[in-house]
Protein backbone atom coordinates (compact mmCIF):
# COMPACT_ATOMS: atom_id res chain seq x y z
CA UNK A 1 0.00 0.00 0.00
CA UNK A 2 1.36 3.39 -0.90
CA UNK A 3 1.65 6.08 1.75
CA UNK A 4 -1.11 8.13 0.17
CA UNK A 5 -4.66 8.52 1.42
CA UNK A 6 -7.57 9.42 -0.80
CA UNK A 7 -8.27 13.14 -0.85
CA UNK A 8 -11.47 12.85 1.12
CA UNK A 9 -12.61 14.67 4.24
CA UNK A 10 -14.06 12.61 7.05
CA UNK A 11 -16.84 14.36 8.95
CA UNK A 12 -17.93 12.04 11.73
CA UNK A 13 -20.50 11.86 14.49
CA UNK A 14 -18.51 11.99 17.73
CA UNK A 15 -19.69 10.44 21.03
CA UNK A 16 -23.05 11.54 22.37
CA UNK A 17 -21.49 13.90 24.90
CA UNK A 18 -20.63 16.23 22.01
CA UNK A 19 -23.36 18.46 20.64
CA UNK A 20 -22.34 18.65 17.03
CA UNK A 21 -20.55 16.94 14.24
CA UNK A 22 -16.80 17.12 14.42
CA UNK A 23 -16.14 19.88 11.92
CA UNK A 24 -15.18 22.84 14.07
CA UNK A 25 -11.74 23.37 12.56
CA UNK A 26 -13.36 23.69 9.13
CA UNK A 27 -16.04 26.11 10.30
CA UNK A 28 -13.40 28.23 12.03
CA UNK A 29 -12.25 29.36 8.58
CA UNK A 30 -15.24 31.72 8.68
CA UNK A 31 -14.38 32.67 12.26
CA UNK A 32 -17.05 30.76 14.19
CA UNK A 33 -17.56 27.64 16.27
CA UNK A 34 -21.27 26.64 16.14
CA UNK A 35 -21.75 26.00 19.87
CA UNK A 36 -19.57 28.91 21.06
CA UNK A 37 -20.88 32.26 22.17
CA UNK A 38 -19.45 34.89 19.84
CA UNK A 39 -19.53 38.67 20.40
CA UNK A 40 -21.17 40.71 17.67
CA UNK A 41 -21.88 44.45 18.10
CA UNK A 42 -21.74 44.20 21.89
CA UNK A 43 -24.07 41.20 22.08
CA UNK A 44 -23.47 37.48 22.39
CA UNK A 45 -24.86 35.11 19.79
CA UNK A 46 -24.32 31.41 19.24
CA UNK A 47 -22.08 30.71 16.27
CA UNK A 48 -24.73 28.54 14.67
CA UNK A 49 -27.07 31.52 14.14
CA UNK A 50 -24.52 33.91 12.63
CA UNK A 51 -24.55 34.77 8.91
CA UNK A 52 -21.14 33.16 8.48
CA UNK A 53 -22.75 29.81 9.21
CA UNK A 54 -24.75 30.00 5.99
CA UNK A 55 -21.55 30.70 4.09
CA UNK A 56 -19.93 27.64 5.66
CA UNK A 57 -22.95 25.44 4.86
CA UNK A 58 -22.76 26.47 1.21
CA UNK A 59 -19.12 25.41 1.06
CA UNK A 60 -19.73 22.08 2.81
CA UNK A 61 -22.68 21.27 0.56
CA UNK A 62 -20.53 21.87 -2.51
CA UNK A 63 -17.76 19.68 -1.10
CA UNK A 64 -20.29 16.92 -0.41
CA UNK A 65 -21.61 17.09 -3.97
CA UNK A 66 -18.05 16.91 -5.29
CA UNK A 67 -17.35 13.77 -3.24
CA UNK A 68 -14.81 15.44 -0.98
CA UNK A 69 -16.79 14.63 2.17
CA UNK A 70 -17.34 11.02 3.22
CA UNK A 71 -21.00 10.26 2.47
CA UNK A 72 -21.32 8.09 5.59
CA UNK A 73 -20.60 10.94 7.98
CA UNK A 74 -24.16 11.43 9.33
CA UNK A 75 -24.33 7.86 10.68
CA UNK A 76 -20.68 7.14 11.34
CA UNK A 77 -19.61 5.89 14.75
CA UNK A 78 -16.07 5.87 16.17
CA UNK A 79 -15.45 2.28 15.07
CA UNK A 80 -16.26 3.06 11.43
CA UNK A 81 -14.22 6.25 11.55
CA UNK A 82 -11.19 4.45 12.91
CA UNK A 83 -11.50 1.71 10.29
CA UNK A 84 -11.50 4.28 7.49
CA UNK A 85 -8.44 5.98 8.97
CA UNK A 86 -6.64 2.69 9.49
CA UNK A 87 -7.28 1.61 5.90
CA UNK A 88 -6.22 5.00 4.45
CA UNK A 89 -9.68 5.67 3.00
CA UNK A 90 -9.64 9.33 4.09
CA UNK A 91 -7.04 12.04 3.84
CA UNK A 92 -8.31 14.56 6.37
CA UNK A 93 -10.20 14.17 9.64
CA UNK A 94 -10.63 16.09 12.85
CA UNK A 95 -9.04 14.47 15.88
CA UNK A 96 -6.91 15.25 18.90
CA UNK A 97 -3.15 15.72 18.93
CA UNK A 98 -2.47 12.15 20.07
CA UNK A 99 -3.26 10.79 16.60
CA UNK A 100 0.17 12.08 15.55
CA UNK A 101 2.05 9.50 17.63
CA UNK A 102 1.28 5.80 17.28
CA UNK A 103 2.25 5.00 20.85
CA UNK A 104 -0.29 7.49 22.15
CA UNK A 105 -3.35 6.50 20.11
CA UNK A 106 -4.68 3.01 19.22
CA UNK A 107 -5.98 4.13 15.82
CA UNK A 108 -2.63 5.65 14.89
CA UNK A 109 -0.97 2.40 15.99
CA UNK A 110 -3.39 0.33 13.88
CA UNK A 111 -2.69 2.56 10.86
CA UNK A 112 1.04 2.08 11.35
CA UNK A 113 0.62 -1.71 11.55
CA UNK A 114 -1.33 -1.78 8.28
CA UNK A 115 0.82 0.80 6.53
CA UNK A 116 4.22 1.22 8.26
CA UNK A 117 5.10 4.26 6.18
CA UNK A 118 1.91 6.17 6.97
CA UNK A 119 2.17 9.40 8.92
CA UNK A 120 -0.53 11.43 10.66
CA UNK A 121 0.27 15.11 11.09
CA UNK A 122 -1.60 18.03 12.63
CA UNK A 123 -2.32 20.69 10.04
CA UNK A 124 -2.69 24.38 10.66
CA UNK A 125 -6.35 25.35 10.72
CA UNK A 126 -7.69 26.25 7.25
CA UNK A 127 -7.39 29.92 6.34
CA UNK A 128 -10.66 31.49 5.19
CA UNK A 129 -11.12 34.07 2.44
CA UNK A 130 -11.31 36.86 5.03
CA UNK A 131 -8.19 35.71 6.85
CA UNK A 132 -10.09 33.95 9.64
CA UNK A 133 -8.81 30.67 11.05
CA UNK A 134 -8.11 28.76 14.21
CA UNK A 135 -8.95 25.83 16.45
CA UNK A 136 -11.52 25.97 19.22
CA UNK A 137 -10.31 26.58 22.74
CA UNK A 138 -11.02 23.91 25.33
CA UNK A 139 -12.84 24.44 28.58
CA UNK A 140 -10.20 23.08 30.94
CA UNK A 141 -12.55 23.26 33.95
CA UNK A 142 -15.31 21.14 32.43
CA UNK A 143 -12.79 18.68 30.98
CA UNK A 144 -11.61 17.74 34.46
CA UNK A 145 -13.76 15.55 36.72
CA UNK A 146 -15.12 17.08 39.92
CA UNK A 147 -14.63 15.45 43.30
CA UNK A 148 -16.44 16.26 46.54
CA UNK A 149 -15.54 15.77 50.17
CA UNK A 150 -18.10 14.78 52.75
CA UNK A 151 -18.85 17.46 55.34
CA UNK A 152 -18.61 14.67 57.93
CA UNK A 153 -15.03 13.69 57.06
CA UNK A 154 -13.16 13.22 60.33
CA UNK A 155 -9.81 14.69 59.27
CA UNK A 156 -10.03 16.47 55.89
CA UNK A 157 -6.59 18.03 56.47
CA UNK A 158 -4.96 14.63 55.95
CA UNK A 159 -6.73 14.17 52.62
CA UNK A 160 -5.53 17.53 51.35
CA UNK A 161 -2.00 16.76 52.52
CA UNK A 162 -2.21 13.55 50.50
CA UNK A 163 -3.52 15.41 47.43
CA UNK A 164 -0.72 17.96 47.72
CA UNK A 165 1.80 15.09 47.85
CA UNK A 166 0.22 13.46 44.78
CA UNK A 167 0.33 16.71 42.79
CA UNK A 168 3.95 17.58 43.67
CA UNK A 169 6.98 16.58 41.59
CA UNK A 170 9.00 16.32 44.80
CA UNK A 171 6.31 14.12 46.30
CA UNK A 172 4.38 11.28 44.74
CA UNK A 173 3.26 12.65 41.37
CA UNK A 174 5.48 10.41 39.22
CA UNK A 175 5.00 7.41 41.49
CA UNK A 176 1.22 7.65 41.55
CA UNK A 177 0.81 8.40 37.86
CA UNK A 178 3.55 6.34 36.20
CA UNK A 179 4.73 3.79 38.78
CA UNK A 180 8.34 3.11 39.75
CA UNK A 181 11.04 4.90 37.76
CA UNK A 182 13.22 2.67 35.56
CA UNK A 183 10.79 -0.20 36.14
CA UNK A 184 7.48 1.21 34.96
CA UNK A 185 8.74 4.32 33.21
CA UNK A 186 11.88 6.20 32.23
CA UNK A 187 12.38 9.93 32.59
CA UNK A 188 14.79 11.70 30.23
CA UNK A 189 15.48 14.91 32.11
CA UNK A 190 17.43 16.43 29.23
CA UNK A 191 14.42 16.35 26.92
CA UNK A 192 11.93 16.45 29.83
CA UNK A 193 10.18 13.38 28.42
CA UNK A 194 8.58 10.41 30.14
CA UNK A 195 8.31 7.04 28.37
CA UNK A 196 5.85 4.55 29.84
CA UNK A 197 7.09 0.95 30.00
CA UNK A 198 4.36 -0.82 31.95
CA UNK A 199 0.87 -0.78 30.38
CA UNK A 200 -1.72 1.20 32.28
CA UNK A 201 -3.87 -1.89 32.81
CA UNK A 202 -1.01 -3.49 34.74
CA UNK A 203 -0.39 -0.31 36.71
CA UNK A 204 -4.06 -0.21 37.70
CA UNK A 205 -3.81 -3.73 39.12
CA UNK A 206 -0.95 -2.60 41.35
CA UNK A 207 -2.78 0.56 42.47
CA UNK A 208 -0.73 2.99 40.41
CA UNK A 209 -1.66 5.39 37.60
CA UNK A 210 -4.20 7.35 39.63
CA UNK A 211 -7.02 4.86 38.81
CA UNK A 212 -9.81 6.85 40.47
CA UNK A 213 -8.51 10.20 39.18
CA UNK A 214 -8.24 11.90 42.55
CA UNK A 215 -6.07 14.48 40.80
CA UNK A 216 -6.38 15.70 37.24
CA UNK A 217 -3.20 17.25 35.89
CA UNK A 218 -2.15 17.20 32.24
CA UNK A 219 1.52 16.25 32.17
CA UNK A 220 3.15 17.30 28.91
CA UNK A 221 6.28 15.31 29.74
CA UNK A 222 4.33 12.23 28.69
CA UNK A 223 3.66 13.69 25.25
CA UNK A 224 6.07 12.57 22.56
CA UNK A 225 7.69 15.22 20.27
CA UNK A 226 5.06 14.80 17.48
CA UNK A 227 2.31 15.41 20.02
CA UNK A 228 4.07 18.47 21.42
CA UNK A 229 4.51 19.84 17.91
CA UNK A 230 0.81 19.27 17.23
CA UNK A 231 -0.10 21.15 20.42
CA UNK A 232 1.99 24.12 19.28
CA UNK A 233 0.23 24.13 15.90
CA UNK A 234 -3.21 24.06 17.52
CA UNK A 235 -2.29 26.85 19.93
CA UNK A 236 -1.18 29.24 17.18
CA UNK A 237 -4.64 30.74 17.07
CA UNK A 238 -7.64 29.80 19.19
CA UNK A 239 -11.28 30.65 18.64
CA UNK A 240 -12.55 31.85 22.01
CA UNK A 241 -15.87 31.03 23.62
CA UNK A 242 -17.08 34.22 25.33
CA UNK A 243 -19.27 32.36 27.84
CA UNK A 244 -18.72 28.85 29.16
CA UNK A 245 -21.48 28.90 31.75
CA UNK A 246 -24.47 26.59 31.37
CA UNK A 247 -27.71 28.58 31.33
CA UNK A 248 -31.03 27.55 32.92
CA UNK A 249 -32.79 27.93 29.58
CA UNK A 250 -30.37 25.49 27.96
CA UNK A 251 -31.64 22.84 30.34
CA UNK A 252 -35.21 23.82 29.48
CA UNK A 253 -34.57 23.53 25.73
CA UNK A 254 -31.91 20.80 25.39
CA UNK A 255 -32.85 19.70 21.86
CA UNK A 256 -32.01 22.89 20.01
CA UNK A 257 -28.41 21.89 19.38
CA UNK A 258 -28.50 18.12 19.74
CA UNK A 259 -31.53 17.56 17.49
CA UNK A 260 -32.80 20.66 15.66
CA UNK A 261 -29.42 22.02 14.60
CA UNK A 262 -28.01 18.60 13.81
CA UNK A 263 -30.98 17.77 11.57
CA UNK A 264 -30.69 20.98 9.56
CA UNK A 265 -26.91 20.71 9.35
CA UNK A 266 -26.95 17.15 7.99
CA UNK A 267 -29.80 17.67 5.54
CA UNK A 268 -28.32 20.88 4.15
CA UNK A 269 -24.78 19.53 3.80
CA UNK A 270 -26.02 16.35 2.08
CA UNK A 271 -28.19 18.37 -0.31
CA UNK A 272 -31.54 17.03 0.91
CA UNK A 273 -32.43 20.64 1.64
CA UNK A 274 -31.15 23.78 -0.08
CA UNK A 275 -28.88 26.13 1.85
CA UNK A 276 -31.72 28.66 2.11
CA UNK A 277 -33.46 26.22 4.44
CA UNK A 278 -31.00 27.49 7.04
CA UNK A 279 -33.22 30.58 7.36
CA UNK A 280 -36.03 28.32 8.56
CA UNK A 281 -33.69 26.86 11.17
CA UNK A 282 -32.96 30.35 12.49
CA UNK A 283 -36.69 31.03 12.91
CA UNK A 284 -37.32 27.73 14.66
CA UNK A 285 -34.27 28.13 16.88
CA UNK A 286 -35.48 31.42 18.30
CA UNK A 287 -39.12 30.35 18.47
CA UNK A 288 -38.35 27.12 20.30
CA UNK A 289 -36.28 28.60 23.11
CA UNK A 290 -33.24 30.15 21.48
CA UNK A 291 -34.47 33.68 22.20
CA UNK A 292 -34.60 32.99 25.94
CA UNK A 293 -31.22 31.25 25.90
CA UNK A 294 -29.64 34.22 24.14
CA UNK A 295 -31.31 36.66 26.56
CA UNK A 296 -29.97 34.81 29.60
CA UNK A 297 -26.52 34.53 28.03
CA UNK A 298 -26.24 38.27 27.49
CA UNK A 299 -27.55 39.08 30.97
CA UNK A 300 -24.98 36.79 32.59
CA UNK A 301 -22.17 37.90 30.30
CA UNK A 302 -22.73 41.57 31.13
CA UNK A 303 -23.00 40.75 34.80
CA UNK A 304 -19.68 38.89 34.75
CA UNK A 305 -17.96 41.73 32.90
CA UNK A 306 -18.94 44.29 35.56
Amino acid sequence: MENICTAQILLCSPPARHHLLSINSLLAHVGIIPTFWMERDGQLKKGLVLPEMKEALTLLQNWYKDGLIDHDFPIMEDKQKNEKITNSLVGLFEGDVYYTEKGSNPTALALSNVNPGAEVVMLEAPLGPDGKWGYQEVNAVSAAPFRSLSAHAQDPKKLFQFLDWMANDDGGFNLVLYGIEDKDFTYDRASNTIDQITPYADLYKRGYSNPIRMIYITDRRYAKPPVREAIEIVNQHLIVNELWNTLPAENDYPDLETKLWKEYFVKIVTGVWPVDKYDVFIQKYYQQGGAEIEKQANELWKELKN
Side-chain angles (χ1 to χ4, degrees):
M1 181 184 296
E2 294 182 354
N3 306 334
I4 300 174
C5 295
T6 55
Q8 192 174 52
I9 300 170
L10 180 65
L11 302 185
C12 57
S13 296
R17 67 180 180 272
H18 296 288
H19 286 186
L20 295 170
L21 301 176
S22 188
I23 48 136
N24 286 335
S25 57
L26 291 177
L27 296 183
H29 88 286
V30 294
I32 62 172
I33 301 296
T35 57
F36 276 15
W37 288 104
M38 322 292 294
E39 182 179 359
R40 293 293 187 274
D41 300 323
Q43 295 289 320
L44 289 190
K45 287 187 174 293
K46 272 289 174 79
L48 53 83
V49 303
L50 292 173
E52 296 96 314
M53 190 68 242
K54 193 171 185 178
E55 176 187 342
L57 288 172
T58 301
L59 176 65
L60 293 175
Q61 188 184 82
N62 289 335
W63 282 357
Y64 186 88
K65 290 177 181 177
D66 292 340
L68 295 177
I69 294 176
D70 192 297
H71 281 201
D72 293 334
F73 85 86
I75 58 172
M76 192 178 300
E77 300 293 337
D78 275 347
K79 181 180 179 181
Q80 295 169 287
K81 177 197 73 173
N82 293 335
E83 287 175 351
K84 287 178 180 285
I85 295 171
T86 299
N87 292 294
S88 299
L89 297 177
V90 293
L92 178 67
F93 65 95
E94 183 168 287
D96 62 44
V97 295
Y98 292 101
Y99 277 96
T100 61
E101 205 282 312
K102 64 181 181 181
S104 304
N105 182 277
T107 302
L109 178 60
L111 171 63
S112 177
N113 290 336
V114 173
N115 185 357
E119 183 179 5
V120 179
V121 297
M122 180 65 71
L123 302 178
E124 292 185 3
L127 183 65
D130 297 327
K132 297 177 181 178
W133 66 298
Y135 284 98
Q136 68 185 75
E137 69 168 349
V138 176
N139 185 353
V141 174
S142 67
F146 285 94
R147 297 288 181 259
S148 59
L149 175 65
S150 170
H152 303 291
Q154 294 183 356
D155 194 350
K157 184 178 179 179
K158 284 186 177 180
L159 173 60
F160 286 105
Q161 287 175 338
F162 178 58
L163 292 176
D164 286 340
W165 175 80
M166 288 176 65
N168 195 314
D169 280 343
D170 296 326
F173 183 82
N174 288 348
L175 177 66
V176 171
L177 206 60
Y178 303 116
I180 300 172
E181 188 170 357
D182 295 326
K183 176 183 178 181
D184 299 310
F185 74 96
T186 59
Y187 179 26
D188 185 341
R189 287 163 175 77
S191 63
N192 199 28
T193 302
I194 284 179
D195 283 316
Q196 192 72 53
I197 301 172
T198 305
Y200 278 118
D202 293 337
L203 288 176
Y204 290 156
K205 293 176 184 177
R206 292 162 49 202
Y208 293 116
S209 197
N210 192 21
I212 60 173
R213 294 293 183 264
M214 292 184 67
I215 59 171
Y216 196 91
I217 299 174
T218 300
D219 187 1
R220 290 184 60 171
R221 297 176 303 172
Y222 179 76
K224 302 294 191 301
V227 175
R228 297 187 188 191
E229 292 171 9
I231 292 173
E232 295 302 321
I233 290 173
V234 170
N235 286 340
Q236 285 182 14
H237 185 71
L238 295 175
I239 305 294
V240 175
N241 185 9
E242 296 291 345
L243 185 69
W244 282 109
N245 304 64
T246 299
L247 305 163
E250 289 181 308
N251 294 323
D252 295 333
Y253 308 103
D255 295 339
L256 288 180
E257 294 180 11
T258 58
K259 293 184 179 180
L260 181 67
W261 164 237
K262 188 170 182 178
E263 177 188 12
Y264 273 79
F265 174 83
V266 169
K267 289 184 176 179
I268 291 174
V269 170
T270 57
V272 175
W273 289 342
V275 175
D276 285 342
K277 195 79 170 181
Y278 171 73
D279 298 333
V280 179
F281 162 75
I282 296 293
Q283 295 173 359
K284 288 187 176 182
Y285 175 83
Y286 282 109
Q287 290 171 355
Q288 297 178 19
E292 180 60 25
I293 292 175
E294 188 174 292
K295 176 175 175 291
Q296 291 184 8
N298 279 281
E299 288 175 350
L300 178 59
W301 180 58
K302 292 174 181 177
E303 179 182 330
L304 293 173
K305 287 178 65 176
N306 296 331

